[in-house]
Amino acid sequence: MSLDLSGIWAPLVTPFTADEEVDLEALAFNVELYGQTPLRGYVALGTTGEFVHLSDDERGRVIETVVRAARGDHRPVMAGVGGHATRVAVEQARRAADAGAQALLVWPPFYYKAQMDAEALVDYFTAVADASPVPVILYHIPQNTGVALSPAVVGELAAHPRIAGIKDSSGQPSQTIAFLREGGPGFAVFVGSTTALLAGLAAGAAGGILATANVAPYECCEVYEHGRAGRWTEAAEVYRRVAAVDELLSRLGLGAMKAALEMLGYRGGYPRRPLVRPDEAELDRLRLLLREQRLLGC
Amino acid sequence: MSLDLSGIWAPLVTPFTADEEVDLEALAFNVELYGQTPLRGYVALGTTGEFVHLSDDERGRVIETVVRAARGDHRPVMAGVGGHATRVAVEQARRAADAGAQALLVWPPFYYKAQMDAEALVDYFTAVADASPVPVILYHIPQNTGVALSPAVVGELAAHPRIAGIKDSSGQPSQTIAFLREGGPGFAVFVGSTTALLAGLAAGAAGGILATANVAPYECCEVYEHGRAGRWTEAAEVYRRVAAVDELLSRLGLGAMKAALEMLGYRGGYPRRPLVRPDEAELDRLRLLLREQRLLGC
Amino acid sequence: MSLDLSGIWAPLVTPFTADEEVDLEALAFNVELYGQTPLRGYVALGTTGEFVHLSDDERGRVIETVVRAARGDHRPVMAGVGGHATRVAVEQARRAADAGAQALLVWPPFYYKAQMDAEALVDYFTAVADASPVPVILYHIPQNTGVALSPAVVGELAAHPRIAGIKDSSGQPSQTIAFLREGGPGFAVFVGSTTALLAGLAAGAAGGILATANVAPYECCEVYEHGRAGRWTEAAEVYRRVAAVDELLSRLGLGAMKAALEMLGYRGGYPRRPLVRPDEAELDRLRLLLREQRLLGC
Amino acid sequence: MSLDLSGIWAPLVTPFTADEEVDLEALAFNVELYGQTPLRGYVALGTTGEFVHLSDDERGRVIETVVRAARGDHRPVMAGVGGHATRVAVEQARRAADAGAQALLVWPPFYYKAQMDAEALVDYFTAVADASPVPVILYHIPQNTGVALSPAVVGELAAHPRIAGIKDSSGQPSQTIAFLREGGPGFAVFVGSTTALLAGLAAGAAGGILATANVAPYECCEVYEHGRAGRWTEAAEVYRRVAAVDELLSRLGLGAMKAALEMLGYRGGYPRRPLVRPDEAELDRLRLLLREQRLLGC
C-alpha cells in the first residue's frame, strides 16, 4: 500500500442546512480551507460526519465531494462504512471505494450485542476486508457502539493483508498501548480522541483521526509534528490547549462542534435532529474557551 | 383507534435463504400457519425480524408480504421503524404505513448515546408520532440499544394522541410496572420478553410481543388467555414451559430461534451474517428442551 | 439439613436512632410483630439490613437480637456475610453461626471486579461453604455489587453439600429460570425482588427473600401461599399490590423503606448516612401508594 | 498546608506471607529500598495496598509501619480510608491520622450505588473532610467502585478548605482535564494510572499516584521530573516503557504486581485470596516484558 497511514486526519463534519439537507457546497468549502493546513488526510462519514444520519445516496455524494475537493491537494480520503449485517457492510465498502475513498474506517455491528463475540467480529471484519479494494482501518468506539474490540481480536485481524490499522476512540491510552502491542509493527494505530493524543503518540501511535482537528487543524498537526520530531515540550504545550477544547466539545456534542466551526470561519451548519445546537449559555462558554485557548480572535 | 392493542403478537422472523436473500415465500408460509393460532397480530421487522439487517426496499416487501398474508385472517400488522436521525425515522414510518402497517413499533436513536437525554428522546418520538398516520408503540430494549426510556419520558410521551403504548423488552417486571403507572389507563404496555410475561400480565400489561411466540404461539396465547380470564393457575403452568424455552433461545441468539422454527415445521431459514446458526451440540440441547417442554414431538 | 429453605423470609431493616446508633430494641419489637405473620424466617444483615454499614461487633449483636426475638416463634434466622478477602468472609461466616444464625446469605467480593472470574468466585464461595457449619445461600445482586454470578458458576457451586441455594435479586425472571435449571432439584432459588415474585414462584422458585416483606409481610406470604396451592388467580391479585409498592420503594431507596415502616406501626428508624430519609413530597407519594394498595389505613 | 501534594507517590502493596498474614517486615523493607529513589511520598492502603482486605487493626499497623519506615527520609504518607457509611469513613479518617498519616485518600461509598447522587457524595466527602485533621484527596476509580465522581461534584468539593485534590484512576485523560478545570488553581489532581501519566502531566496534573511506581519508581519519577522541567522528549521516552509495563500489570491483576516486585528484589509476597498469583506462563510473559522495558536484568 502506498497510502501513508500516519499523521493527523480530520473526520469532517457533514454540514446540513437549516432544513437538514446535506450542504455539499459548505463541505467543499471546508475542505478547501483545510487545504491550507498540514492535515494529512480526511475522513468522510465518521462519527463526526454523522454517518448514521445519512442515506446511501447522500453518503455517496459526500464521499465524492470530499474526494474531488481534496484532489487538488493530493490528500487521501478515508470513508466510514459499516452495517449490522456483514453483506451491508461489504456493499458499503464497495460503494465507498467506487466513490473514490482510498481507505475505509469500518464499524462493528452493534445491535445484536450479545452475539458479537470474537468469532462474529473476526468473521465480519474479514469479510469486509476481503471485499475491499482499499486498506481497512478498524473502528473502536465502545462508548457509542457498546461493542468493544479486544486486543486479541485486533491482533488476529491485523494479520489480514488489507487490515492496515485501527482508530482507537476509547480515550484510554491503555487501549492504544494494547492495540499497538497486539497489532505489531506496520499496524497503524490512530488515536481517535484528542485528549488521548499526546499519550498515544508517545506510545507509538501512527497518528490521529481527531474530531477536534476540524476546529483546530493547525494545532492538532503541531502536536503530531513536534512529537514526531521528538520535540515533546512543544507538543505538550499545544496538546494542553487542544485537549481542553476537545474535553468541552465532547461533552456538549456534535451540535457544539458545528457551532464552533461557524465561530471560526468554517461552515459547520446544523446537525440532524434529534441532535441540536447547544443553547446560548453553552455557546458563550464555548466561545470563551476557544478564546482562552487562542483558537478564536487572536 | 379501532385497532385492538392487546393479546399476544408474534414478532416474525424474516427467513433468509442459504445465500442470505429474503425468502418472502417462507415468510408468507409462516403467516399462513400462524393463521390457525389464536395470535392477535404480527410484528414485521422487529428485533427478531432483523430490521437492522434489511434495506429499505426489503423492508417494504417484508411488510407487504405479511400484510397480504395476514389479510385473510383479519389480523393487524405492526411494523418496526426507526432511525438515528429523526427524519429517517419519520420517513420509515410513512413508508411502513404506506406498505400497509396498521401500527408502528419505534426504536429510539442509539448511536449518539450521550446526547439521548429526555429532551432529545421526546423530540424524536413526538416527531415520528406527529408524522405517523397509525398508532405508535415505543420500543424499550436497552440491552440492544444502550438507550433506556425512563418512566418519566414514557409518561410524557403517553399524552400524545398517537402514542398508544410501549413494548418493554427489558425482561424486568419492575420496568413494566413503572411504565403502566406512568402511562396511565389506556396506554398499552406490551411485555416484550416471555420470561417476564406472567408478571407483566398480572401487573396489568395489555399483552405481549414475544419472540418465543414464533415457536410456541399456542402456548403463549394460552398464558394470556388464562391470565385474562383469571385462571392464573393454568397460566402459570404453561408459562413455566414457554419461559424455559425463551431463556435458552435468548441466550443462543436468533440463529437458534430460526433453527427451532425449522424443527417445528415452520420455515426459519438462516439469519444474516455475522449472526449464525448454533453448532450441533447447541441444536441438540435445543431439541431436548423443546421435547421436554412438549413443543416438539408430542 | 432440616432447615426449611422455602417460603417468604423478611430481610429485616436494622433500625438506627436519630444519632445513628443501632436500636436493638426497635429491631426486637419488629420481630415480635412479625411473629404474628406467616413469615417463614428472617434474614439479618442483608442489603435491607445495611450489612455494609455495621461493625463486626454491631453485626454480632444484631444477629443475636434477631435470633433471640425469633426463638419464641421457632423461626429460623439467616445472616448476611461476606468480605472482599476470602478469609474475612470465612471469619464472618463463623461469627454469624456462633451468634446463632441457622443459614448464611453470602455476598461475592466486589472491589477487584476485573479479577472476579469464575475461578475466583468458585474458590471464594467454596472456602466459605467449607468453613460454614450451616447452609449457605449465594447472593446474586449485580446492581449493587457489579459482579454477576453466571448460571454456570452457580451450577458448579450447587454441587457443594453446604451450598443450599441462591437469592436472585436481579429482578429478571430469566435469571431465576437459569439458576433453577443449573441448580437442579433440591437447590433452593429465592426470588430477591418482589416485582419478580410471581414469575419466580411460577417458574419453580422455593420462596422469596423480599425487602417489601418488611412492610407487607401478610401480602407477600399470601402471594406465596396462593401460588404454592395453585391458586394463581388470588396470587396475581395480591402480587399486583405488593409489586407496585416494591417498585416505588426500590426507586426511593432504603430511607423510604424505613419511613414506610414507621407509617405502618413498625419501628423503621433512620438509615445511616449518606443514606437519608426521602423528603416530604416523596413521603406523601409513598403514603398515597400505601393507601391505594390497601397497606395503610384500611 | 505545608504538605507538598505533587510528584510521584507509590501506593504501596501490602505484602502477605504464604498463609496470608500481613508481613510488616517486608513492608518496611520495601519502604527502606524506596528511600533511595526520588519518590515524593507513599500511599498506604490504596487499591494496590488491598485496603478492602484488611481489618481495622491491620490497617493501623500498616500505616504505622510505613510512617515509621518513611520517617528517616522525611517523606509523607497518605492513607486510604473510606466506608459505606459516613460515620465509618469518619472513624477511619481519625484512626489513620492518629496512626500518623499526613493526608487521606478517600473512597466514595459504593454499595448503594443507585442512591449515590451528587447530594449524597457531597455530604459524605464533606463530613470526612470536616473530621479530618489532615488534607483529603478524593479517590475516583469507577472501574472498581461503579461510582463516578462528576466534574461538577468535584468542583463543589474543591471549595472545602481541607479537600486538597483528587486521584483520577479512570485512565482517561479527558477526566483528568475536567477535574483540573473544575478544581481550579491549587487543587492537586494526581494521575492514578501510569498509562495516563504523560497526558495528565502535560495537561497540568500535580503528579501521579501510580501502582507501577512500586516496580518502576525511578522511571515513573523520571517521567515526572522531565515533564516538570519541560523535557517532554525525555519524558515521552521513559513513559513508553512504564506504560507498557502498566498495561500488562493492570490486566494481570495485583498478584502479578506482587510477583513482579519479587523479580525485582523487593518483597511483594502474596495477595489475599480470592486474588492469586498468575500462573507460570503469565509470569514468563511478565519477566519478558520487564526485560524488554529494561526494568529487569540490565
Side-chain angles (χ1 to χ4, degrees), chain C residues 11-49:
Chain C
L12 304 169
V13 304
T14 304
F16 297 106
T17 60
D19 58 349
E20 300 191 30
E21 296 303 323
V22 178
D23 188 342
L24 295 176
E25 198 188 341
L27 178 60
F29 174 84
N30 289 345
V31 176
E32 203 167 326
L33 282 192
Y34 292 136
Q36 304 165 18
T37 73
L39 285 171
R40 186 71 51 87
Y42 306 115
V43 176
L45 304 173
T47 296
T48 316

Side-chain angles (χ1 to χ4, degrees), chain D residues 127-153:
Chain D
V128 175
D130 283 349
S132 172
V134 296
V136 157
I137 304 294
L138 309 173
Y139 197 173
H140 184 243
I141 183 165
Q143 66 272 40
N144 287 46
T145 60
V147 172
L149 307 185
S150 74
V153 160

Side-chain angles (χ1 to χ4, degrees), chain C residues 253-268:
Chain C
L254 208 38
M257 167 70 74
K258 291 186 153 184
L261 283 169
E262 296 279 346
M263 294 173 192
L264 293 161
Y266 296 94
R267 294 186 57 189

Side-chain angles (χ1 to χ4, degrees), chain B residues 213-225:
Chain B
N214 281 280
V215 298
Y218 292 98
E219 290 78 4
C220 288
C221 292
E222 283 174 34
V223 176
Y224 172 79
E225 291 301 339

Side-chain angles (χ1 to χ4, degrees), chain A residues 19-228:
Chain A
D19 59 349
E20 299 191 30
E21 295 302 324
V22 178
D23 189 342
L24 295 176
E25 198 188 341
L27 179 61
F29 174 84
N30 288 346
V31 176
E32 203 168 323
L33 282 192
Y34 292 136
Q36 305 164 18
T37 72
L39 285 170
R40 187 69 52 86
Y42 307 116
V43 176
L45 304 174
T47 297
T48 316
E50 295 179 56
F51 173 78
V52 297
H53 288 172
L54 297 167
S55 70
D56 283 349
D57 199 55
E58 292 170 330
R59 286 169 187 163
R61 283 187 285 131
V62 164
I63 296 173
E64 284 161 11
T65 299
V66 177
V67 166
R68 197 178 313 118
R71 198 167 292 150
D73 306 303
H74 306 290
R75 287 180 216 201
V77 177
M78 189 184 299
V81 304
H84 296 292
T86 303
R87 58 189 272 141
V88 171
V90 162
E91 177 60 22
Q92 295 270 346
R94 288 194 182 118
R95 283 180 187 222
D98 285 352
Q102 288 136 288
L104 303 178
L105 178 63
V106 185
W107 268 272
F110 57 91
Y111 186 69
Y112 297 104
K113 291 180 172 57
Q115 312 299 320
M116 289 305 108
D117 55 15
E119 203 177 333
L121 290 170
V122 168
D123 181 64
Y124 169 88
F125 282 112
T126 300
V128 175
D130 283 349
S132 172
V134 296
V136 157
I137 304 293
L138 309 173
Y139 198 173
H140 184 243
I141 183 165
Q143 66 272 39
N144 287 45
T145 60
V147 172
L149 306 186
S150 73
V153 160
V154 171
E156 187 174 345
L157 289 168
H160 191 287
R162 225 144 31 250
I163 296 181
I166 190 167
K167 174 179 199 264
D168 173 18
S169 295
S170 68
Q172 298 183 301
S174 58
Q175 285 283 347
T176 305
I177 291 166
F179 292 147
L180 282 163
R181 189 191 57 238
E182 298 298 326
F187 185 73
V189 177
F190 283 95
V191 179
S193 165
T194 302
T195 53
L197 180 60
L198 193 76
L201 292 176
I209 299 175
L210 306 167
T212 293
N214 280 281
V215 297
Y218 293 99
E219 291 77 4
C220 287
C221 291
E222 282 173 36
V223 176
Y224 172 79
E225 290 301 339
H226 284 314
R228 186 83 166 177

